[in-house]
Amino acid sequence: MNTKTKEYTSIQESNNFIDKVIQTDLREYPDITVHTRFPPEPNGYLHIGHAKSILLNFSLATQYKGICNLRFDDTNPDRENQEFINAIIEDVSWLLETDNFVIHYASDYFSTYLACARLLIDKGLAYVDFSSPEEVRLNRGTPTQQGIESTYRSTSIEENKRLFEKMVVGSYDDGECILRAKIDMAHPNIVMRDPPIYRIKKTSHPRQKDAWKIYPMYDFAHCLGDAMDNVTHSLCTLEFENNRPLYDWFLENTGHRRPFPKQTEFGRLSLNETVLSKRKLKRLVDEQKIDGWDDPRIYTLCGMRRRGFTPTGIRAFCKEIGTSRSNSQIAVQRLEECVRQELNMSATRVMCVLDPILLRITNYPEGQSEVFEVPNNPEDPSAGTHNVDFSGVLYIEREDGMVNAPKKYYRFSLGKEVRLKYAYYVTCTKIHQDENGDITSIEAVYDPQSRGGWTDDKRRVMGTVHWVSCQKARHCKVRKFNPLFTHEHPETLGEEFIDYLNKESIVLYEHSMIEEFAYKLADDVHLQFLRKGYCYKDKVQSTDSCTMYNITVSLKDSLKNRIFMS
Ligand code: ATP
Ligand code: MG
């Protein structure tokens, strides 16, 4: 069925408990091809938790020279749509840096699922139940109390066959009846108490359109989909552990080969300071609390991409946190650190003044300008150099000047000598303030002997600041992000998670000035704004005349930037 053999070369080898499961299986069944899948429901966008699952599945396939495909679990058309399908394909390709993977859809197997349901009815293992949804729920019992058998459980096979065909052609309304497996209403595992197989839904499907009036339940469709795809190792998150006996029951009773596919559960990833549940993310989007699914403050793959996170950084993070049999709650700073380490090696260094004031160098000849050749990345000499224009009127950061500064303040204060990065030493001679005492501009004199930002007289200049020449500066905007929530674990809150939104989650610098070189770079070049952070062009909010940059991560994991310590 699946002829495309894959090499997901961007993915490193995994090393986790699932490895051991596979190795044991390979010893017992040496002829199998290891086959995994990533099975998203197209009812939202993918997030960092999904990235963990994608990388786990694809890396195991790589490691065992097997196959992994993307399989959409598109069995509930109420919540699913083509926009989500397209976005998921784009995000998986971005994360893996390849589109060389096979895409399957559970909906392509709808006819097979139907045949399997008919087979169960024929075997007396499924029945049509007209109880109300409320009755079905109540009669399932509790962990300590066994369930109550439905009166429809004793309907004859022939009658069930007739009723089910009526369900198939749409003779009943939504919710009027369901097809249930006949297992055991006294089973200690509630999942096994006659679970639903098919429900009526007269909803158009993104791919099947109006062909179906009934749709299979997840538990039924998923294991059969795995079997259709020849999946050997079906990896899912821990909350499906109780569903494993049902997974096996459906396969055994529909005649699908054993011992594969086989379900193994692993721990879910949660991040501090944010929410990952699709339902909660959707609520943020629907109520316009954020700027869509790709808002850079949330940890969807498209949000992280827009913010400037890299696939390599995300892969390094998922590798670092590993996969185990328990759910993990990880500080978001660990993800940021992985991205930071990568950007440190790859980002192009430029100077951008976020909140500018003027610096006038009063002894620099009027009308003169010059050019400095500066490294694109000091960590990587092969990245080359570029030219930066210098003149007697520059922009510097407002926060780099201070009136009445303490002795250990090394930036602009009266009489202090400061290094303009790559350029000259300058000594502050005057600070202009407005009526509120805020600094509006600064004057200084430069030392022509210090060209390049150093002298050989061993003079110590402690402070170094970045700058942009007024003549050649370009206007831009910069956004810095703080956590979206003021609660460390908003995921653990119920619906009130929405009450903990951080009003200061975006800090916008509207009047920033950036060196000309940066403006000419391609849109997807990752930048480091010297002293300020790693930055990436926001494709949504940039205009032809003004670029919006997102600060991806700060240069250092500064403790004081954290709201929460963890
Ligand atoms: P959500 O809770 O965000 O709605 P989901 O599990 O319903 O997630 P699916 O589209 O069904 O979303 O997920 C596809 C695959 O990704 C599943 O195998 C699921 O187990 C896995 N997955 C989802 N969230 C996480 C997570 N936080 N950590 C690890 N794996 C996850
Ligand atoms: Mg799910």
Side-chain angles (χ1 to χ4, degrees):
M1 158 162 295
N2 199 334
T3 51
K4 236 165 153 178
T5 319
K6 305 273 132 262
E7 285 282 327
Y8 313 103
T9 42
S10 56
I11 310 302
Q12 299 103 335
E13 296 203 341
S14 64
N15 182 19
N16 54 56
F17 77 99
I18 297 173
D19 259 354
K20 310 224 162 38
V21 171
I22 296 181
Q23 281 161 20
T24 309
D25 288 341
L26 282 173
R27 270 196 293 279
E28 202 172 338
Y29 306 94
D31 296 334
I32 58 165
T33 298
V34 171
H35 196 319
T36 56
R37 82 288 169 266
F38 171 65
E41 183 179 358
N43 62 348
Y45 282 63
L46 299 182
H47 52 61
I48 184 76
H50 293 118
K52 171 174 171 175
S53 174
I54 295 167
L55 295 167
L56 175 67
N57 280 292
F58 279 88
S59 61
L60 287 166
T62 308
Q63 191 172 340
Y64 293 100
K65 300 200 174 7
I67 297 168
C68 178
N69 37 252
L70 169 60
R71 187 178 75 232
F72 285 102
D73 247 319
D74 54 344
T75 53
N76 183 1
D78 284 348
R79 303 181 300 198
E80 300 163 2
N81 66 45
Q82 193 62 41
E83 174 199 339
F84 296 140
I85 293 175
N86 297 345
I88 288 170
I89 295 172
E90 185 184 353
D91 289 347
V92 173
S93 309
W94 175 73
L95 181 68
L96 300 179
E97 294 185 273
T98 175
D99 51 13
N100 193 16
F101 49 83
V102 176
I103 302 174
H104 288 180
Y105 294 86
S107 57
D108 289 344
Y109 305 137
F110 276 180
S111 302
T112 313
Y113 302 154
L114 189 66
C116 290
R118 285 179 175 140
L119 181 65
L120 290 177
I121 298 172
D122 282 345
K123 289 179 160 182
L125 292 176
Y127 61 99
V128 177
D129 193 332
F130 288 86
S131 310
S132 71
E134 179 66 3
E135 274 175 297
V136 171
R137 197 178 57 77
L138 286 175
N139 290 343
R140 289 186 89 193
T142 65
T144 51
Q145 203 173 26
Q146 64 184 52
I148 298 168
E149 292 189 358
S150 162
T151 49
Y152 296 93
R153 209 173 192 265
S154 50
T155 308
S156 71
I157 292 177
E158 284 314 308
E159 180 64 358
N160 275 317
K161 283 165 82 164
R162 195 182 67 79
L163 294 171
F164 185 58
E165 294 315 316
K166 286 184 76 177
M167 278 177 73
V168 174
V169 296
S171 305
Y172 302 116
D173 290 331
D174 287 22
E176 215 178 319
C177 57
I178 53 173
L179 182 71
R180 292 178 81 172
K182 198 193 252 183
I183 307 181
D184 180 3
M185 289 305 286
H187 202 288
N189 181 351
I190 297 184
V191 171
M192 299 297 276
R193 295 182 189 166
D194 292 10
I197 298 177
Y198 265 102
R199 74 275 212 216
I200 294 163
K201 238 183 231 297
K202 296 194 175 154
T203 314
S204 184
H205 185 277
R207 293 168 53 80
Q208 300 285 326
K209 305 300 173 203
D210 298 313
W212 299 89
K213 313 294 173 215
I214 60 169
Y215 288 95
M217 300 302 291
Y218 173 87
D219 281 325
F220 183 64
H222 198 84
C223 54
L224 293 175
D226 284 343
M228 304 295 119
D229 278 347
N230 296 319
V231 164
T232 53
H233 296 85
S234 177
L235 312 177
C236 63
T237 36
L238 278 181
E239 68 275 18
F240 289 100
E241 192 171 6
N242 287 341
N243 300 50
R244 190 175 350 128
L246 184 56
Y247 183 99
D248 293 336
W249 190 92
F250 279 135
L251 288 174
E252 273 153 29
N253 289 290
T254 54
H256 286 90
R257 69 196 166 95
R258 307 298 301 152
F260 301 108
K262 151 174 182 176
Q263 175 180 310
T264 305
E265 306 84 22
F266 64 94
R268 240 181 143 72
L269 164 66
S270 303
L271 284 186
N272 288 355
E273 304 180 18
T274 194
V275 295
L276 292 182
S277 126
K278 275 191 265 187
R279 210 180 42 71
K280 288 193 168 108
L281 291 171
K282 187 166 181 336
R283 189 166 165 209
L284 291 171
V285 174
D286 290 346
E287 295 182 18
Q288 299 181 1
K289 305 287 188 199
I290 55 173
D291 185 20
W293 287 96
D294 64 349
D295 189 297
R297 292 167 294 175
I298 55 174
Y299 293 85
T300 50
L301 296 187
C302 55
M304 290 191 285
R305 175 162 70 237
R306 182 170 164 194
R307 181 164 171 160
F309 283 53
T310 55
T312 335
I314 295 171
R315 294 202 298 261
F317 168 72
C318 289
K319 186 161 193 226
E320 183 188 298
I321 59 171
T323 301
S324 73
R325 266 204 57 94
S326 51
N327 291 329
S328 54
Q329 180 74 45
I330 307 283
V332 72
Q333 288 78 15
R334 284 182 67 187
L335 169 61
E336 292 186 346
E337 183 55 28
C338 290
V339 174
R340 181 182 292 119
Q341 279 179 16
E342 194 215 331
L343 292 177
N344 180 41
M345 300 312 295
S346 63
T348 302
R349 272 58 170 176
V350 298
M351 291 197 280
C352 176
V353 177
L354 304 192
D355 181 18
I357 54 168
L358 284 184
L359 172 71
R360 284 196 186 77
I361 303 174
T362 49
N363 61 338
Y364 193 83
E366 217 178 305
Q368 185 175 308
S369 65
E370 62 190 295
V371 163
F372 291 98
E373 187 184 354
V374 307
N376 287 335
N377 184 353
E379 302 288 334
D380 174 15
S382 72
T385 62
H386 70 272
N387 288 339
V388 184
D389 293 283
F390 182 86
S391 66
V393 188
L394 309 173
Y395 291 115
I396 56 168
E397 295 285 352
R398 189 180 308 277
E399 65 174 24
D400 282 337
M402 193 188 258
V403 184
N404 301 325
K407 224 181 155 69
K408 291 215 157 160
Y409 184 80
Y410 297 121
R411 290 165 287 159
F412 289 94
S413 65
L414 268 188
K416 262 281 149 62
E417 190 164 49
V418 180
R419 176 185 296 103
L420 294 174
K421 180 82 180 171
Y422 303 127
Y424 290 106
Y425 294 168
V426 293
T427 304
C428 175
T429 52
K430 201 167 197 175
I431 298 182
H432 297 271
Q433 293 165 275
D434 63 15
E435 60 276 15
N436 302 321
D438 293 334
I439 300 180
T440 52
S441 68
I442 290 178
E443 289 177 23
V445 290
Y446 85 119
D447 174 2
Q449 302 304 317
S450 63
R451 195 173 195 280
W454 67 282
T455 52
D456 49 16
D457 59 5
K458 301 213 171 68
R459 180 155 121 228
R460 280 181 38 111
V461 175
M462 302 292 281
T464 301
V465 302
H466 62 284
W467 50 272
V468 176
S469 167
C470 286
Q471 279 176 10
K472 294 287 181 126
R474 301 286 293 258
H475 171 219
C476 67
K477 296 182 185 181
V478 181
R479 296 198 291 177
K480 189 170 122 188
F481 303 107
N482 291 316
L484 183 59
F485 294 94
T486 56
H487 193 286
E488 188 169 10
H489 300 294
E491 192 85 88
T492 61
L493 304 170
E495 286 310 310
E496 64 275 26
F497 81 99
I498 210 97
D499 301 333
Y500 290 85
L501 284 168
N502 179 6
K503 292 193 182 61
E504 273 127 47
S505 59
I506 295 183
V507 180
L508 174 64
Y509 297 94
E510 285 194 87
H511 309 289
S512 306
M513 289 292 176
I514 192 164
E515 61 174 280
E516 204 173 31
F517 165 76
Y519 242 79
K520 297 179 183 153
L521 292 169
D523 281 356
D524 53 0
V525 173
H526 294 270
L527 302 174
Q528 185 199 97
F529 288 178
L530 290 189
R531 299 177 64 224
K532 288 295 163 190
Y534 295 100
C535 288
Y536 195 60
K537 178 170 175 173
D538 190 293
K539 313 277 192 313
V540 182
Q541 298 214 357
S542 292
T543 63
D544 286 345
S545 58
C546 182
T547 299
M548 170 72 84
Y549 292 100
N550 294 324
I551 297 192
T552 310
V553 284
S554 57
L555 295 185
K556 291 201 181 88
D557 180 10
S558 148
L559 288 179
K560 70 177 187 300
N561 283 345
R562 294 191 192 183
I563 296 186
F564 309 106
M565 302 288 295
S566 51

